[in-house]
Amino acid sequence: MHNYEIEEYFSLLAKLMDIHGENEFKIKSYSNAAYTLDKLAEPVSNMSPSQLYAIRGIGEAIGKKIQEIIETKQLSILNEYIQKTPPGILEMLKIKGLGPKKIVTIWKELEIESIGELLYACEENRLVKYKGFGEKTQKNIQESLQFYLHHQGNYLYEQVESLVSALQKNLEIEFQNEQHIISGAFKRQMESLEFLDVVTTISESNLTTWLATKMFKIEKTEDFVSCKGEDNFEIRWHLASSENFFWKDFTLSCSPEFLSAWEQLPNFSLSASNCFKSEQSIFDQVSINYIPAPQREFAPIIEKARVKALPKTIQPPDIKGIIHSHSTWSDGIHTIEQMALAAKDQGYEYLIISDHSKSAFYANGLQADRIIAQHKEIDALNKKLAPFVIFKSIESDILNDGSLDYSDEILSSFDIVIASVHSNLKMTEEKAMMRLLNAINNPYTSILGHPTGRLLLSRKGYPVNHEAIIEACAENNVVIELNAHPRRLDMDWRYIQAAVESDVLISINPDAHAIEGFDDCKYGVLVAQKAGLTAANNLSSFTLSEMMEFIAYQQEKRG
Ligand SMILES: [Zn+2]
Ligand SMILES: [Zn+2]
């Protein structure tokens, strides 16, 4: 065993003990041991116990631990610390620029336990409020985190988008006379992807020669040619002839459930799969109306499309107003006026400002006196910007018992109340449902914000019973948010159809913390299309006058 391998045990031990606030003297002895091992020329594994104990900076106690490592490849005291540290905190030690002291603040004060949550907190500008985190530090941490996450197998849809457009451009230039299509999970507009599927008529030798010039790692499998760039993201090239091109694309752009149901259709014949001249001809063969790739998920949609053409799903221009946005009054980057001018400029009819409520102290949440001041500012801006309207709203924390964190009197001063869980996210389904149902039953709640609190690829979200939430929202006329941040996309699109069938409105909201955040609406729309959501069932597609009616109706509910 090399000294540097043994050293790693001690340096990790010192860091973890530091994170857990142990005695500084002990921590120092372990980090000294690591330092000594690093400088030592002779391998300790060749030494006798007495030689080992005699080394300055090692001694008998640590010497015995070194022997334990050499004999068992383990260090029991280190295992104990690993056991009581959440995996996400351990992972943070791999991030450049994050030492034990900062990790303690992140863990204990910001209550963050995973890399994804931490990145989200940087994006929300939340770190700067804590000791030891300036704007520059936050930016550095954000960059290291992005780098780190970028190198972990899975990618958000949004992260792959720019790669896809660059790839398409490249293919058009290099192989003008061939057919290519980006298929698979990307075409199905999945919220995250493991790899990118491309169907192409380029010959294998031309493809591999071209890929080699781009310095891609290339590997051949039975079904496709796989390549990885320096960012380690995998592209799978499915080689097709012009005869089977459309069928190959079709098989890749359906879920397995959808495809197997398709292949059992009465008129389906695989022998014809070599002569489909277009995507449409695949539908024509079995006399089924066209089903867009994002909706090729569950088998029952095939029967729906057989009976009649599917309704037109929501499109990005169907978003008429920005609902759920934060300003400098809490943790946003831009002032209300800047946000409103930008929204107006981009053709939106209204802006609903919902800053954080008072319990969200980390986000500079609004105390009662600041709410009054904010409303004055909104009134003045509304005079200036008419006919554009800024609505008064709040993202009110759902407390531990499910109550909202203001009195009814204060809650009644808002046009719209978004109720969201932001604290104590680690809970049982029973506890989560108690909090959510109480919040939904509150007559002041208009919208349930990001219902599970998940962060894609990094935080699972607390467990909930979606059916019960939908039922309660239907009874109380509460809208369910589809938070459009590409890392949230919460509620999950898989439950949208059930909500719509229960007459529950969905609201595609960007949760914008800056003007640029408005653009995230698009990612909400893309996943909503998977669920077949129409503009009529989406609150943020309401025109200004429809929104005013909606608000009047919500006021009635308050009694
Ligand atoms: Zn929130
Ligand atoms: Zn928010």
Side-chain angles (χ1 to χ4, degrees):
M1 209 170 188
H2 295 287
N3 286 355
Y4 66 81
E5 291 173 273
I6 300 167
E7 177 206 331
E8 279 171 15
Y9 287 78
F10 289 103
S11 63
L12 180 58
L13 178 61
K15 284 178 193 161
L16 287 179
M17 287 177 74
D18 201 354
I19 287 174
H20 286 275
E22 302 295 358
N23 178 305
E24 264 181 56
F25 178 74
K26 276 191 179 164
I27 297 171
K28 208 154 195 181
S29 71
Y30 291 125
S31 54
N32 270 344
Y35 179 81
T36 307
L37 284 163
D38 184 48
K39 297 279 165 269
L40 212 59
E42 199 187 333
V44 287
S45 50
N46 295 345
M47 294 180 189
S48 69
S50 56
Q51 280 177 306
L52 183 58
Y53 302 163
I55 300 171
R56 255 192 81 182
I58 301 278
E60 187 170 344
I62 290 178
K64 287 202 162 130
K65 291 192 167 63
I66 292 177
Q67 289 170 308
E68 183 193 345
I69 295 168
I70 294 168
E71 281 160 28
T72 65
K73 301 245 182 322
Q74 307 242 2
L75 180 59
S76 47
I77 181 175
L78 175 61
N79 289 350
E80 280 164 34
Y81 281 101
I82 290 175
Q83 290 269 309
K84 58 181 178 187
T85 312
I89 299 294
L90 284 170
E91 214 179 354
M92 280 178 207
L93 284 168
K94 296 184 198 155
I95 306 295
K96 218 179 96 201
L98 280 186
K101 296 278 181 287
K102 287 198 171 63
I103 293 177
V104 170
T105 307
I106 289 165
W107 185 17
K108 300 293 179 188
E109 292 185 45
L110 279 97
E111 293 184 15
I112 286 174
E113 289 190 1
S114 76
I115 302 276
E117 283 174 89
L118 183 58
L119 177 57
Y120 192 69
C122 292
E123 287 166 1
E124 280 196 333
N125 202 28
R126 269 168 50 196
L127 260 54
V128 291
K129 298 183 180 71
Y130 292 84
K131 211 181 139 214
F133 294 90
E135 216 160 291
K136 209 173 155 198
T137 314
Q138 177 176 273
K139 194 165 170 274
N140 289 340
I141 293 174
Q142 185 173 358
E143 279 167 10
S144 320
L145 288 169
Q146 277 164 342
F147 181 87
Y148 179 81
L149 284 171
H150 205 69
H151 290 73
Q152 301 277 302
N154 274 276
Y155 290 74
L156 296 176
Y157 181 94
E158 172 241 12
Q159 294 171 320
V160 178
E161 238 185 346
S162 55
L163 170 82
V164 166
S165 51
L167 184 65
Q168 276 167 328
K169 242 183 236 152
N170 258 305
L171 287 171
E172 272 158 36
I173 297 168
E174 301 276 339
F175 302 98
Q176 293 163 11
N177 301 322
E178 304 286 353
Q179 287 171 282
H180 339 269
I181 190 158
I182 311 293
S183 189
F186 189 83
K187 191 171 170 182
R188 274 162 65 206
Q189 295 167 198
M190 293 299 275
E191 58 272 47
S192 66
L193 290 85
E194 238 183 291
F195 45 79
L196 193 68
D197 287 302
V198 186
V199 181
T200 179
T201 58
I202 307 171
S203 73
E204 186 180 322
S205 62
N206 285 348
L207 178 69
T208 47
T209 312
W210 179 64
L211 290 175
T213 64
K214 305 270 169 198
M215 290 189 301
F216 283 119
K217 263 186 282 171
I218 306 166
E219 216 178 295
K220 257 183 68 180
T221 76
E222 213 176 292
D223 299 317
F224 51 82
V225 176
S226 156
C227 76
K228 281 183 183 172
E230 51 188 87
D231 58 4
N232 228 8
F233 184 64
E234 183 185 5
I235 305 177
R236 294 182 174 180
W237 300 84
H238 301 265
L239 306 177
S241 62
S242 52
E243 284 79 34
N244 69 4
F245 180 83
F246 291 103
W247 178 247
K248 213 157 220 178
D249 170 42
F250 184 79
T251 58
L252 288 164
S253 59
C254 304
S255 74
E257 173 186 326
F258 182 99
L259 185 61
S260 90
W262 192 270
E263 288 175 343
Q264 281 156 39
L265 287 170
N267 297 334
F268 175 76
S269 150
L270 194 59
S271 59
S273 68
N274 268 343
C275 42
F276 291 123
K277 294 280 176 282
S278 65
E279 202 178 28
Q280 183 58 47
S281 63
I282 298 172
F283 289 82
D284 293 343
Q285 184 197 46
V286 288
S287 309
I288 302 274
N289 286 297
Y290 184 73
I291 303 171
Q295 288 174 270
R296 296 174 201 159
E297 292 289 339
F298 306 118
I301 199 159
I302 299 175
E303 179 56 21
K304 280 189 194 162
R306 192 187 63 75
V307 180
K308 61 174 195 236
L310 296 175
K312 185 172 179 270
T313 55
I314 188 166
Q315 304 296 316
D318 291 325
I319 305 293
K320 299 293 178 217
I322 295 295
I323 305 181
H324 193 167
S325 58
H326 298 264
S327 72
T328 45
W329 282 86
S330 65
D331 59 351
I333 303 280
H334 293 116
T335 63
I336 298 182
E337 181 165 17
Q338 288 171 321
M339 298 280 276
L341 285 171
K344 190 179 175 191
D345 210 43
Q346 293 176 28
Y348 294 109
E349 297 177 24
Y350 51 90
L351 170 72
I352 298 184
I353 284 284
S354 26
D355 274 308
H356 283 287
S357 62
K358 66 178 182 192
S359 307
F361 58 88
Y362 59 83
N364 195 21
L366 300 180
Q367 295 289 344
D369 55 326
R370 294 180 65 226
I371 291 172
I372 296 168
Q374 190 195 48
H375 287 181
K376 269 192 192 147
E377 182 180 316
I378 293 178
D379 288 336
L381 282 169
N382 274 333
K383 281 194 190 121
K384 199 165 141 188
L385 301 175
F388 185 87
V389 176
I390 304 164
F391 288 105
K392 296 163 187 164
S393 177
I394 192 86
E395 183 175 20
S396 184
D397 266 34
I398 299 175
L399 303 178
N400 268 329
D401 61 357
S403 58
L404 302 183
D405 61 348
Y406 291 116
S407 66
D408 288 358
E409 196 198 334
I410 294 177
L411 289 172
S412 67
S413 69
F414 299 109
D415 298 312
I416 296 267
V417 173
I418 302 175
S420 306
V421 172
H422 289 121
S423 58
N424 299 320
L425 301 173
K426 264 196 186 160
M427 50 186 166
T428 60
E429 182 176 322
E430 197 189 1
K431 169 93 197 213
M433 289 305 289
M434 182 274 288
R435 289 173 80 181
L436 294 177
L437 293 178
N438 277 346
I440 294 167
N441 284 321
N442 189 316
Y444 290 95
T445 301
S446 345
I447 301 176
L448 176 65
H450 44 72
T452 74
R454 76 173 182 189
L455 292 178
L456 289 167
L457 306 185
S458 60
R459 183 171 80 198
K460 260 187 108 182
Y462 39 82
V464 302
N465 176 340
H466 283 91
E467 290 75 21
I469 289 178
I470 290 168
E471 197 184 317
C473 287
E475 267 170 35
N476 293 281
N477 286 304
V478 169
V479 176
I480 303 182
E481 172 175 271
L482 164 49
N483 191 298
H485 191 287
R487 198 172 280 287
R488 286 195 186 264
L489 300 172
D490 180 17
M491 80 180 313
D492 190 292
W493 59 268
R494 292 160 187 85
Y495 299 97
I496 289 180
Q497 217 18 264
V500 169
E501 279 164 19
S502 301
D503 282 329
V504 172
L505 277 173
I506 302 298
S507 191
I508 299 178
N509 302 340
D511 197 355
H513 285 72
I515 290 164
E516 296 74 30
F518 297 168
D519 298 341
D520 287 346
C521 286
K522 182 183 91 179
Y523 300 107
V525 169
L526 292 181
V527 289
Q529 288 176 344
K530 295 184 68 55
L533 186 74
T534 61
N537 291 313
N538 173 48
L539 182 66
S540 57
S541 294
F542 281 24
T543 61
L544 177 59
S545 62
E546 287 168 334
M547 181 51 75
M548 285 174 163
E549 263 173 59
F550 172 82
I551 289 168
Y553 179 67
Q554 290 282 316
Q555 306 284 356
E556 255 171 60
K557 191 174 95 175
R558 297 174 180 180

